[in-house]
Amino acid sequence: MLLFCSFSLIDWSELIIKLLAHYGFQYKFIAPGARSSLLARAALLHGNCVVHFDERSLAFAALGVGKASQIQTSKTNASKTKAILIVTSGTAVGNLWPAVMEASLSQTSLILLTADRPYELRDTSANQTLDQVKLFNGYVRWQFDVPPPHHELDADWLASTLAYAAFKASDGPVHLNLMFREPFASYPIPMPKKLVEYVPASTATGFQWSLDWQQKGLFIVAQAMDDESFHLLLQLAQQWSWPILVEVFCHARYQYKHSCVIAYHETICHQTMPFPDANIIIQFGERLISNHLITIMKKVNQYVVVSSSTVRVDPLKAVTTRICVTNVQSLLKFWFKTLRPTTKPQWLSWWQHLNFCVGYKLRQYFAQEIKLSEPGVLRMCFQYAKPLIFVGNSMPIRDANHFVECHHLHDPVHVFANRGVSGIDGNLATSMGVSYALQEPLMCILGDLAFLHDLTSLHLLRQLTKHIWVIVINNQGGGIFELIPNVFNHYFHHHDHFEHVAKQFDFHYYAVNNWYELALHLQNTKGANLIEIQTNQLENATLHKKLTQYTNLFSVSFHSD
């Protein structure tokens, strides 16, 4: 038995696996995920592991081990033939439901270890975060929310908790929801610096701003905005000398040639040069794809969110004002008539210059690129976009937001994604629903794992969608893990191609090997098409680092005077 824990996440995870093994849970079933990667690492070090991409089938396999524990044979020790199941946060947990029901009603031993965000991110609409604590309710024998490790939790407390979990799992499933905070550290808790103010629609136009309008501001458009509202926002941006940072969801991003629209904001915010601080952010819509805006958001004095929803969306705890309105046009017209900020034009000029330089450098790079790359594929797909685009989670949506300026042959193009929980399952089915409702041709861009998770939905797409292009970027699984620091990539598959899947569901199949073939099949095909592009995880990670260096603009300086 360990006598102490150093309170690193690695030691914490290894202690959990060792203690559960001590209580008879020797078999570990692991699904890929970033939040759960340290648990997966610890389990793999101890052996008796099964790694599989589909949480639903993985859970049933773990259930089978539990059923085997009910039979004592000469080859097995029933007390040691029990399984734990390790999955990441979000929809991965929901996929365990069928096996949990079976385990509960058949009184089969099973322990679920579900990774989760820390409690301070709950009810803030943080990415891939939902209420996992009592998800299974009466179908588990015990459920417990294990807090992230800190100085007041010792190894004795953890041992006591896991012993009770093992006891309760003797005749059914137990759910341990494990919170992991990153980076792990202990900090004193200061008094709050900002107090959030909620402004209802009835008082939105009469709200008294307590802002210094001579400061530098940013508009952020995080979701779809109708053309009239965006046109008003463009007028407001010109009047105030504020840039508009447009996420890829907003179809108005195709107006990237407008001087106030900053399409490459994510690349700009990733610069290593000294970055002039914004003082005010006014954001329209809720969830952002960009992670590189976080640094700016944490520093601003005022962070205003304009949304029709009253749900709290503030994972950074940075929002100071939330204006709840359904009619954005009225609010923008009121601001245009009544507010006169005096931001110096150099602020907007600086963003415009960087956006132009980054765009030029990216166009220059990709024009010379010979080998197919994941960012390059996203750029070309958007160039030949259909009226509807559905972008899968993980790498595709990030690459689209990072590298695509939305220069389409068809305007406007509407972009969709499942960003509520940011899961990789159900993407094909959701895209079918979008196309079925709007009766427009659809392009769906997915990674290989998202594609594998939703194969049966190809039947829906084939039956109910006339013109569909499914673009599968196959990097053999989990390519995004190569880009996340300190995350252990513990899953690879070996599906060399998906031609057999295309035949099964009556899709035309194209294995694309160069840029000419990709452009040809995107532009000149009809009906149901499956286009597969093979990429390499390590090469993709190296390319992203190379593009960051290539677009870094050391020569640019900013003077606020």
Side-chain angles (χ1 to χ4, degrees), residues 254 256-257 379 382-384 404-409 411:
Y254 73 85
Y256 69 97
K257 292 183 179 179
R379 283 176 66 91
F382 270 76
Q383 182 181 350
Y384 294 102
V404 170
E405 61 190 7
C406 290
H407 172 63
H408 311 307
L409 297 179
D411 293 333

Side-chain angles (χ1 to χ4, degrees), residues 340-409:
R340 291 293 185 271
T342 56
T343 305
K344 295 182 179 181
Q346 292 95 323
W347 171 245
L348 176 59
S349 299
W350 183 84
W351 280 91
Q352 291 170 336
H353 179 67
L354 279 185
N355 192 60
F356 173 82
C357 292
V358 169
Y360 174 79
K361 284 206 157 195
L362 287 176
R363 284 189 292 272
Q364 184 182 50
Y365 179 88
F366 286 109
Q368 299 172 356
E369 191 177 43
I370 298 174
K371 189 175 181 179
L372 290 169
S373 69
E374 295 187 22
V377 167
L378 264 295
R379 283 176 66 91
M380 181 166 283
C381 285
F382 270 76
Q383 182 181 350
Y384 294 102
K386 309 306 172 185
L388 306 176
I389 294 185
F390 191 97
V391 186
N393 284 316
S394 197
M395 282 308 303
I397 191 65
R398 286 172 170 83
D399 280 343
N401 201 52
H402 205 144
F403 300 110
V404 170
E405 61 190 7
C406 290
H407 172 63
H408 311 307
L409 297 179

Side-chain angles (χ1 to χ4, degrees), residues 96-106 139 173:
L96 310 182
W97 249 113
V100 169
M101 289 188 288
E102 172 61 24
S104 179
L105 296 181
S106 63
Y139 286 90

Side-chain angles (χ1 to χ4, degrees), residues 24-136:
F25 290 82
Q26 299 281 358
Y27 291 85
K28 301 96 180 175
F29 289 76
I30 306 166
R35 185 67 49 166
S36 59
S37 64
L38 292 178
L39 284 170
R41 175 187 179 276
L44 288 167
L45 289 174
H46 289 272
N48 285 338
C49 294
V50 175
V51 181
H52 185 58
F53 66 87
D54 186 351
E55 292 91 355
R56 184 193 64 83
S57 58
L58 191 74
F60 277 109
L63 174 72
V65 170
K67 288 182 178 293
S69 70
Q70 299 170 0
I71 301 175
Q72 179 74 48
T73 69
S74 59
K75 295 182 179 181
T76 63
N77 181 348
S79 64
K80 299 293 183 181
T81 313
K82 300 177 184 177
I84 59 176
L85 185 60
I86 299 171
V87 302
T88 192
S89 61
T91 55
V93 184
N95 286 326
L96 310 182
W97 249 113
V100 169
M101 289 188 288
E102 172 61 24
S104 179
L105 296 181
S106 63
Q107 300 183 15
T108 303
S109 178
L110 181 65
I111 289 184
L112 316 176
L113 300 183
T114 62
D116 199 3
R117 266 63 175 168
Y119 44 75
E120 65 264 24
L121 292 183
R122 290 178 182 165
D123 295 327
T124 67
S125 295
N127 188 43
Q128 203 171 327
T129 304
L130 48 82
D131 186 2
Q132 299 177 184
V133 182
K134 296 182 179 179
L135 185 63
F136 303 109

Side-chain angles (χ1 to χ4, degrees), residues 219 230-244 258-261 336 341 343-345 348 352:
F219 288 120
F230 192 75
H231 180 70
L232 289 169
L233 184 61
L234 288 173
Q235 291 180 309
L236 201 63
Q238 288 178 312
Q239 184 186 76
W240 294 7
S241 294
W242 285 19
I244 306 175
H258 191 283
S259 60
C260 290
V261 175
F336 188 79
T343 305
K344 295 182 179 181
L348 176 59
Q352 291 170 336

Side-chain angles (χ1 to χ4, degrees), residues 135-267:
L135 185 63
F136 303 109
N137 281 325
Y139 286 90
V140 291
R141 300 300 184 262
W142 187 52
Q143 52 198 356
F144 188 70
D145 207 19
V146 180
H150 58 83
H151 65 279
E152 293 182 357
L153 295 180
D154 56 23
D156 288 336
W157 175 87
L158 187 61
S160 174
T161 303
L162 295 177
Y164 186 65
F167 169 72
K168 295 294 289 184
S170 59
D171 65 343
V174 162
H175 179 202
L176 296 178
N177 192 59
L178 300 159
M179 289 183 274
F180 287 90
R181 181 187 291 118
E182 49 181 352
F184 177 67
S186 297
Y187 301 98
I189 302 176
M191 293 296 291
K193 297 179 181 179
K194 303 172 184 176
L195 297 177
V196 182
E197 185 166 4
Y198 282 76
V199 182
S202 58
T203 61
T205 55
F207 177 62
Q208 298 297 315
W209 293 86
S210 57
L211 302 176
D212 181 358
W213 287 106
Q214 296 185 19
Q215 300 183 40
K216 301 180 287 291
L218 294 171
F219 288 120
I220 299 177
V221 181
Q223 64 184 28
M225 180 180 281
D226 63 87
D227 290 337
E228 185 176 349
S229 296
F230 192 75
H231 180 70
L232 289 169
L233 184 61
L234 288 173
Q235 291 180 309
L236 201 63
Q238 288 178 312
Q239 184 186 76
W240 294 7
S241 294
W242 285 19
I244 306 175
L245 282 52
V246 185
E247 295 272 89
V248 75
F249 282 133
C250 183
H251 74 270
R253 186 164 169 172
Y254 73 85
Q255 299 190 36
Y256 69 97
K257 292 183 179 179
H258 191 283
S259 60
C260 290
V261 175
I262 309 300
Y264 291 114
H265 61 272
E266 191 159 5
T267 305

Side-chain angles (χ1 to χ4, degrees), residues 217-223 225 230 233 242-247 250 265 269 280-290 293-294 296-297 303-306:
L218 294 171
F219 288 120
I220 299 177
V221 181
Q223 64 184 28
M225 180 180 281
F230 192 75
L233 184 61
W242 285 19
I244 306 175
L245 282 52
V246 185
E247 295 272 89
C250 183
H265 61 272
C269 294
I280 306 167
I281 289 176
I282 298 180
Q283 176 179 316
F284 297 88
E286 304 290 357
R287 298 171 179 273
L288 293 171
I289 303 169
S290 174
L293 287 173
I294 292 176
I296 298 178
M297 293 173 174
Y303 183 4
V304 181
V305 173
V306 180

